[in-house]
Amino acid sequence: MNRKVIVCAALASLALAVAAQAQVLYTRGTTRLRDSQGLGGKIVGSLAQGTPVQVLQDGTRYCRVSTDGMTGYLRKADLTESKPEDVTAALRGAPGTSNIRLAELQTSGAMRGLSKNSLAYAESRQIPVWARQAVDQMRAVSTTPEEMDAFEKAGGLGDYAGDQ
Amino acid sequence: MELLRIRSLVLCAAVLSATLGLQGCENMESVGKLGVQIIDTAVQGDEEDARKWEAVKRTARAVTGDIDLAEEISMGESMSMAVFVQLGKPHPDAALQRYVSLVGRTVARYSERPGLPYWFAVIQNDQESVAVSLPGGYIIVTTGLLRKLKGENELACILAHEVAHVAQKHGLETTLRDTRFASLVELGAAFDPEAEEYSELVDIAFDTLVHKGYDQGYEIKADLAGTRYAYMAGYHPEGLLPFLQQSVESGVQFEFFETHPDPAKRITEIRKLLREFGQYGNMPTLSARYQREVLEKL
C-alpha cells in the first residue's frame, strides 16, 4: 500500500516537473531579451507583444526563457500566462486599419475615423462635430515603443525599475 | 465546397448545442461561445462568407450574452463622444495629452488585457474632478482631477484603476446586467448600425457607467488591481491613498457614483495589499516630472 502511494507521489511529482519545464508564457508588450539578468545584460533580441516563450528557469525577478532559437532573460513582470488579445481583426473594419498590427496602429496614428456604429450613434443623438473630432484625436495619439522606452528610462520605470 | 464546410461546422455546433443545452444554461453559454469561435475560424479570410454568417453569429452571441471585441471598442467609442458632450472639450495642449497617454500605457501593459490599445484624453474642466473608463479602453480624466494630484505615481494609480475596470470588464458586466431583460434577438440586433437599438444600448451603458457608476465591489477590485499594475510598472504604489484620504473628509471621489463607496474601507483594502509588496519606499513618485508635464501646463 505504502509502495503504491510512493509510486503515485513520484509520478505526480514527475508530471508536475514536466509541466513546469514546459511552461509557456507570453510577452505583455515589446520586450528586450538579454543574455543575463538585469540592465547590464547584453540585448540579444527584441520580442513583439504576444511572443510565446518557454520558461527554462523561473527566478525571483527574472526568467530564463527560450523562443524561436534564442535563449535569454526576461523580467517576470513582462510575462503573462494568457496570450494578449490581438485587436487587429477587431479593428479591421475601421478606415485605414486593414491588417495593421497594434504596435503599428499606435505608432502611425492610423486609428482615424469613427466606426459605422459610432457614426450612426452620432447622427441619431446629434453629437456635435467637435465631440466626434475629440474622439478621433484621442485615438490618434500615438506612442512608439522607442518613446515608451525613453519615458520609462527617464522615470526609472518598467525595464529600468528592477535594478533600483 | 467552402460553404459546405462552414455548414457542416455550424450544423455540428448546433447539434452540440441542442445536446448540451438540455443540461442547463451554463453549458448552453459555453456551447454558444464555441459556436461563435467555430464560425469565426471557418470564415476567416473570406469577407463575403463572414458577412453571410454575421446574423447567425449575432444570434449565437445573444445566447451567450457576450459582446465581441470589435463591438466593445465601438461601444466605448460611441460613449466617449457622449462623455465629451457632458464634460467638455479636450485640453488643447498636445504634449499634455501625450504625457497622460504615456503614463496610462505604461501601467496598462501590466493589466489582464495588455493587448488593448487604450486611449487616454484630458478634458478641460476644472469644476469636475473625475476619471471615466469606458469599454474597449477609452479613459478620460478632467483637469480638475489632475490639479488635485501631486505626483506621477498618483496619476498612474488612478489611470491604472480605470484600466482595471476595462481589463476586468466591469463595465461590460454591469451593462449586460441591464440589458439582459431585452430579448435575445434584440441584443443581437443592438450592434447593427442600421438599428435604433444600438443607440439605445449606448444610452443605457452611458447612464449605467457614467451616471450611476460601478458598485463598491468593482471599485475595490479596481483599486487593488490598479495598485498592482502601478507597482509592477515601477511606480511608488501608494498613489491612490492621498485622494482617498481627502475623500474621507470631503466626500468627493474621482468617479461618479450613485451610491458612494466608503473611501475608508477602500483605504483599508489597499493597505492590506501594500503589505504584500514589502519594501517599496524607494520607488519613484516622480513628482517633479508631474509638476513639469502637468501642473505647469494647466
Side-chain angles (χ1 to χ4, degrees):
Chain A
M1 183 64 182
N2 279 344
R3 186 176 294 171
K4 276 185 184 172
V5 171
I6 291 166
V7 170
C8 284
L11 285 173
S13 303
L14 185 64
L16 284 173
V18 170
Q21 276 191 339
Q23 188 182 17
V24 172
L25 299 176
Y26 300 90
T27 51
R28 288 181 174 276
T30 307
T31 310
R32 283 174 297 244
L33 186 68
R34 296 177 188 273
D35 69 354
S36 64
Q37 298 183 31
L39 288 176
K42 184 184 166 192
I43 296 169
V44 293
S46 179
L47 308 180
Q49 182 181 64
T51 302
V53 299
Q54 189 167 3
V55 178
L56 304 175
Q57 193 180 351
D58 189 359
T60 313
R61 297 191 54 232
Y62 288 86
C63 287
R64 185 165 175 266
V65 302
S66 72
T67 181
D68 199 21
M70 295 184 290
T71 300
Y73 289 85
L74 293 176
R75 274 198 326 145
K76 284 177 80 167
D78 286 327
L79 295 169
T80 178
E81 289 180 4
S82 309
K83 185 169 185 178
E85 288 164 285
D86 182 356
V87 299
T88 313
L91 296 171
R92 192 167 286 143
T97 59
S98 178
N99 297 320
I100 299 176
R101 302 183 72 82
L102 171 63
E104 293 171 72
L105 288 172
Q106 289 184 344
T107 302
S108 65
M111 300 290 303
R112 309 303 294 264
L114 298 175
S115 65
K116 282 181 187 173
N117 280 338
S118 289
L119 284 172
Y121 178 75
E123 291 300 318
S124 166
R125 297 298 183 260
Q126 297 183 315
I127 301 285
V129 171
W130 70 261
R132 304 179 196 193
Q133 289 171 341
V135 175
D136 204 25
Q137 286 167 14
M138 180 181 184
R139 287 168 52 132
V141 175
S142 59
T143 48
T144 64
E146 293 75 21
E147 192 179 7
M148 293 295 297
D149 185 63
F151 181 77
E152 290 177 355
K153 187 174 184 180
L157 303 168
D159 210 12
Y160 303 93
D163 290 343
Q164 68 209 338
Chain B
M1 185 63 189
E2 193 64 15
L3 200 57
L4 274 176
R5 182 168 64 89
I6 294 167
R7 279 182 180 154
S8 303
L9 287 168
V10 174
L11 187 60
C12 289
V15 170
L16 211 57
S17 301
T19 311
L20 293 178
L22 295 173
Q23 296 173 34
C25 270
E26 201 173 318
N27 282 331
M28 196 64 183
E29 285 195 8
S30 305
V31 174
K33 285 180 182 176
L34 178 63
V36 171
Q37 284 172 8
I38 290 170
I39 294 170
D40 279 340
T41 306
V43 302
Q44 204 167 24
D46 189 328
E47 289 186 12
E48 196 179 333
D49 269 347
R51 273 198 300 277
K52 282 178 191 165
W53 288 92
E54 193 52 42
V56 179
K57 268 177 65 179
R58 280 207 296 266
T59 306
R61 273 205 310 275
V63 173
T64 68
D66 203 6
I67 289 177
D68 74 21
L69 183 58
E71 290 165 345
E72 182 188 347
I73 290 172
S74 165
M75 194 164 85
E77 179 187 79
S78 301
M79 291 170 71
S80 298
M81 291 189 287
V83 170
F84 280 112
V85 169
Q86 175 161 325
L87 289 176
K89 294 185 176 179
H91 192 282
D93 191 320
L96 171 68
Q97 300 285 357
R98 175 174 300 278
Y99 170 78
V100 171
S101 294
L102 285 165
V103 175
R105 286 177 181 166
T106 297
V107 292
R109 177 182 172 114
Y110 300 96
S111 75
E112 292 83 351
R113 301 175 75 189
L116 282 183
Y118 293 100
W119 296 286
F120 299 84
V122 179
I123 286 180
Q124 176 79 63
N125 180 340
D126 289 341
Q127 307 307 313
E128 300 278 4
S129 301
V130 291
V132 178
S133 61
L134 302 170
Y138 294 84
I139 293 168
I140 297 170
V141 295
T142 62
T143 50
L145 175 63
L146 296 183
R147 283 182 190 281
K148 291 189 171 164
L149 309 180
K150 292 184 175 61
E152 187 174 303
N153 73 316
E154 293 183 30
L155 174 63
C157 284
I158 285 179
L159 294 179
H161 170 105
E162 300 303 328
V163 166
H165 281 314
V166 177
Q168 298 186 357
K169 300 191 177 182
H170 298 165
L172 285 183
E173 285 177 14
T174 306
T175 305
L176 283 168
R177 275 209 298 268
D178 275 9
T179 56
R180 279 179 192 269
F181 295 103
S183 76
L184 300 179
V185 175
E186 277 172 349
L187 182 63
F191 286 96
D192 181 350
E194 307 288 320
E196 172 60 15
E197 282 90 341
Y198 176 72
S199 293
E200 288 172 15
L201 182 82
V202 172
D203 288 343
I204 290 168
F206 183 79
D207 182 53
T208 305
L209 300 183
V210 179
H211 288 152
K212 293 176 182 163
Y214 297 103
D215 66 30
Q216 181 156 314
Y218 283 136
E219 284 308 310
I220 289 174
K221 280 184 184 174
D223 285 341
L224 300 181
T227 297
R228 193 179 289 281
Y229 306 158
Y231 173 73
M232 288 171 75
Y235 285 106
H236 193 291
E238 290 186 1
L240 283 176
L241 297 182
F243 202 98
L244 288 174
Q245 277 157 351
Q246 287 178 36
S247 301
V248 173
E249 294 166 12
S250 67
V252 177
Q253 303 203 24
F254 63 80
E255 286 172 326
F256 292 113
F257 294 110
E258 196 169 54
T259 53
H260 292 271
D262 178 8
K265 184 177 179 187
R266 293 172 65 180
I267 290 171
T268 303
E269 295 298 322
I270 292 168
R271 287 205 182 282
K272 275 188 211 166
L273 174 67
L274 291 172
R275 282 198 283 275
E276 293 177 19
F277 295 160
Q279 297 296 318
Y280 56 77
N282 290 333
M283 294 179 83
T285 60
L286 299 177
S287 300
R289 183 156 81 171
Y290 186 77
Q291 174 74 29
R292 188 176 68 244
E293 299 292 341
V294 176
L295 297 177
E296 288 175 11
K297 292 177 178 170
L298 296 180

